[in-house]
Amino acid sequence: MLKFILRRIGASALVLLGASLLVYVLTINSGDPLKDLRESNVQNKQQLIDQRTALLRLDDPWYERYWDWLRGVGGCFTGNCDLGVTVNGVDVLGLTQQAASSTLRLVTVATLLAIVVGIALGILTAIRQYSGFDYSITFSAFLFFSLPVFWAATLLKEYAAIQYNNWIADGHYAPLTIVIVAVVAAFLLQAVLGGTRKRRLLTAAAVFAFVMITLFVFNALNWWREPMFGIGGVLVVSIAAGVLVTSLVAGVRNRRALYAALTTSAVGTISYLAFAPLLVNSPSWLLLAGLFVLAIVVSVGIGAAWGGYARKQSMLVTGITGVITSLLVVADILIAHWSSFLGIKSRPISTIGSQTPNFTGEFWEQVLDMGTQILLPTVLLTLVSVASYSRYTRSSMLETLNQDYVRTGRSKGLSEREVIVKHAFRNALIPITTIIAFDFAGIIGGAIITEQVFGWKGMGALFQDGLNAVDPAPVMAFFLVTGIAAVLMNLLADIAYAALDPRIRR
């Protein structure tokens, strides 16, 4: 494996070198970097032309400029990274760091959500092939995949931002709206759960009643403007998540894994009570990161202590449950600060930019501000990406479910959960891993249209600005980041193949 990795790295380095030369030559020959100055009527036009010519070294041979750029990149290995400057004299390394940070904030959460939701929907539609649920998800997937991004972004800005900001000033649903929401929720959930007609009707009735009562209670409590979740809500949702994770990973009959998950939920909730004063009064990103790592370590330790014969499964169950519980704790604190956030920013959902200018809130209000700024582009990118993941997963699962080893597993008396999770899904992940690797590499390049519509200055904007100005420095910085990301993600995909399929290791 080590030899394989070293060979891949060496071959990839040669590919990157050849591609960088091609991109550099194409960029410098794509237009005239002095065009705007030649068409200018300012008195010192010639002086400005001479300054830009000297800055971009236009009088030097192209291969000398490319060699100097290559030497600057080589300096990154010794801590002296030099990616050049733009036509305006701005350091490209600093611009690249800012653009990469902005792009990662914009698309990482959306991609992770798309992977989780898309794979889950793909598995469900494969299991329930040709059902009403399958047809509904298939139609929705093709619809979202075909949506013009700029048009969908405009709709989101109108209805999820402008109209919502108008509504939150009052924060109450009309009775007719509550009835419509309850009917839609009842229809969707009964379609997802399926079953006999009687079971569908009971599911729809229960969901309709629950949604109606919940929304009326929320209206009475003014919950939309002054929400509350509380320690009890954290405990209940954490227990539900623990049971769900146990049923998927180990099965609820595995009592050790189930007790480990429940213990993790209880310990996480008690820890919330212990650390609440620190989280509320002295919050920081370093504190959150430290507590998150501690939560994972403690959760895995609980799984190891309870595990016994099912130690690995228990540790996986408690690790996932601990992560979910940690996210619930953060969500509860954010919910508690929503009313104060509305006092600072009366129109909370933003339509442009990555942060609110001159925002004066405390730490948790600032977190809410960043969250509301990133909400709309995240929803947009998730909707577009879920479609492809769900279709790939469905196709791969259907192919795997028809294999002989799946029928053999069923004939041996394995539970349907074991057949789906351990046998079918693991083998179906091999082609999906390729898609995930390419997608993660592609997100570094930025969602250019989304960035433009929502006013984000990310990697896509860096590339576009450099290309429009016929400035090779930012274009090459974009290539460097995206090229290395593509190489690393493909290498990780190959390693993942070996972990998923023992035959590949041989």
Side-chain angles (χ1 to χ4, degrees):
M1 179 62 75
L2 180 60
K3 291 181 180 179
F4 167 75
I5 292 174
L6 293 176
R7 285 199 304 269
R8 284 295 303 271
I9 292 175
S12 300
L14 293 176
V15 171
L16 285 174
L17 180 63
S20 67
L21 177 61
L22 179 62
V23 171
Y24 192 91
V25 172
L26 290 175
T27 302
I28 62 177
N29 289 284
S30 62
D32 182 8
L34 303 175
K35 180 180 178 180
D36 59 324
L37 296 179
R38 297 186 200 279
E39 297 174 351
S40 175
N41 294 321
V42 297
Q43 295 181 352
N44 60 338
K45 179 172 70 173
Q46 188 58 46
Q47 182 182 358
L48 295 176
I49 290 176
D50 293 340
Q51 287 179 353
R52 184 175 295 182
T53 301
L55 183 66
L56 298 181
R57 299 176 55 192
L58 298 180
D59 291 333
D60 295 339
W62 67 268
Y63 50 84
E64 288 186 9
R65 288 183 279 156
Y66 172 74
W67 175 251
D68 288 341
W69 175 83
L70 208 58
R71 289 174 55 191
V73 173
C76 295
F77 295 99
T78 60
N80 298 314
C81 197
D82 181 14
L83 300 182
V85 295
T86 67
V87 292
N88 299 317
V90 181
D91 180 47
V92 173
L93 179 60
L95 285 178
T96 306
Q97 292 172 341
Q98 295 175 5
S101 173
S102 179
T103 293
L104 286 174
R105 274 206 298 142
L106 176 63
V107 297
T108 300
V109 176
T111 303
L112 292 176
L113 285 174
I115 291 172
V116 173
V117 175
I119 289 178
L121 290 177
I123 294 173
L124 291 174
T125 52
I127 295 173
R128 300 177 57 186
Q129 185 182 18
Y130 302 136
S131 65
F133 175 73
D134 182 23
Y135 287 128
S136 300
I137 296 299
T138 300
F139 172 77
S140 301
F142 283 117
L143 175 65
F144 290 136
F145 189 76
S146 304
L147 282 178
V149 175
F150 65 90
W151 180 73
T154 303
L155 292 180
L156 279 176
K157 292 172 75 170
E158 172 63 26
Y159 294 103
I162 298 173
Q163 297 298 331
Y164 173 82
N165 289 334
N166 294 337
W167 172 81
I168 197 62
D170 177 59
H172 281 78
Y173 280 118
L176 179 60
T177 304
I178 293 177
V179 173
I180 294 174
V181 171
V183 169
V184 173
F187 174 78
L188 292 177
L189 198 57
Q190 65 85 24
V192 171
L193 296 179
T196 62
R197 179 176 297 180
K198 181 179 179 180
R199 179 178 174 181
R200 287 174 178 266
L201 290 174
L202 290 174
T203 301
V207 172
F208 178 82
F210 176 79
V211 173
M212 287 277 292
I213 294 172
T214 301
L215 292 182
F216 274 114
V217 170
F218 280 1
N219 273 353
L221 297 176
N222 195 26
W223 194 89
W224 305 109
R225 288 189 58 86
E226 299 176 0
M228 53 185 175
F229 196 50
I231 195 73
V234 173
L235 179 61
V236 170
V237 178
S238 177
I239 289 175
V243 174
L244 177 62
V245 172
T246 303
S247 65
L248 292 175
V249 175
V252 291
R253 292 184 179 181
N254 188 331
R255 297 303 180 186
R256 288 187 173 274
L258 179 61
Y259 295 154
L262 297 178
T263 303
T264 302
S265 299
V267 171
T269 307
I270 294 172
S271 301
Y272 180 23
L273 290 174
F275 289 106
L278 188 61
L279 288 169
V280 173
N281 299 323
S282 303
S284 67
W285 290 111
L286 182 61
L287 175 64
L288 288 177
L291 291 179
F292 183 72
V293 173
L294 178 63
I296 295 177
V297 171
V298 172
S299 300
V300 173
I302 293 173
W306 268 108
Y309 65 90
R311 178 168 295 175
K312 289 184 178 180
Q313 286 185 322
S314 298
M315 292 170 66
L316 179 59
V317 167
T318 54
I320 298 174
T321 305
V323 170
I324 295 174
T325 304
S326 301
L327 296 177
L328 287 173
V329 168
V330 174
D332 183 46
I333 297 176
L334 289 174
I335 287 173
H337 286 80
W338 179 253
S339 58
S340 61
F341 176 66
L342 288 179
I344 302 172
K345 189 178 178 182
S346 58
R347 299 183 68 81
I349 307 300
S350 302
T351 59
I352 193 167
S354 58
Q355 61 184 13
T356 303
N358 303 319
F359 188 77
T360 57
E362 301 293 335
F363 177 83
W364 291 111
E365 283 83 6
Q366 292 178 1
V367 174
L368 282 169
D369 178 58
M370 289 189 293
T372 53
Q373 293 283 155
I374 204 174
L375 178 63
L376 295 186
T378 297
V379 171
L380 176 63
L381 293 173
T382 300
L383 288 177
V384 173
S385 300
V386 159
S388 58
Y389 282 117
S390 63
R391 301 308 298 162
Y392 279 117
T393 304
R394 180 183 183 274
S395 176
S396 184
M397 281 291 294
L398 287 176
E399 182 179 354
T400 306
L401 287 171
N402 292 323
Q403 299 297 318
D404 291 338
Y405 58 82
V406 173
R407 287 191 288 269
T408 302
R410 287 196 175 106
S411 67
K412 290 193 302 182
L414 296 178
S415 65
E416 191 65 15
R417 181 196 63 81
E418 290 179 303
V419 171
I420 296 298
V421 175
K422 291 186 177 181
H423 294 272
F425 178 56
R426 180 170 180 175
N427 287 277
L429 269 178
I430 294 176
I432 300 172
T433 301
T434 305
I435 307 302
I436 294 175
F438 278 112
D439 204 26
F440 263 106
I443 66 173
I444 307 298
I448 296 178
I449 298 177
T450 305
E451 289 178 3
Q452 285 185 331
V453 174
F454 291 103
W456 283 68
K457 291 295 183 181
M459 293 297 294
L462 179 72
F463 172 79
Q464 190 173 29
D465 292 343
L467 198 59
N468 290 337
V470 198
D471 184 3
V475 175
M476 296 305 295
F478 171 87
F479 165 80
L480 189 65
V481 174
T482 54
I484 292 176
V487 168
L488 290 179
M489 289 304 168
N490 277 281
L491 182 61
L492 291 176
D494 289 336
I495 296 174
Y497 296 154
L500 291 170
D501 191 346
R503 294 172 299 178
I504 297 177
R505 288 198 295 268
R506 296 183 181 276

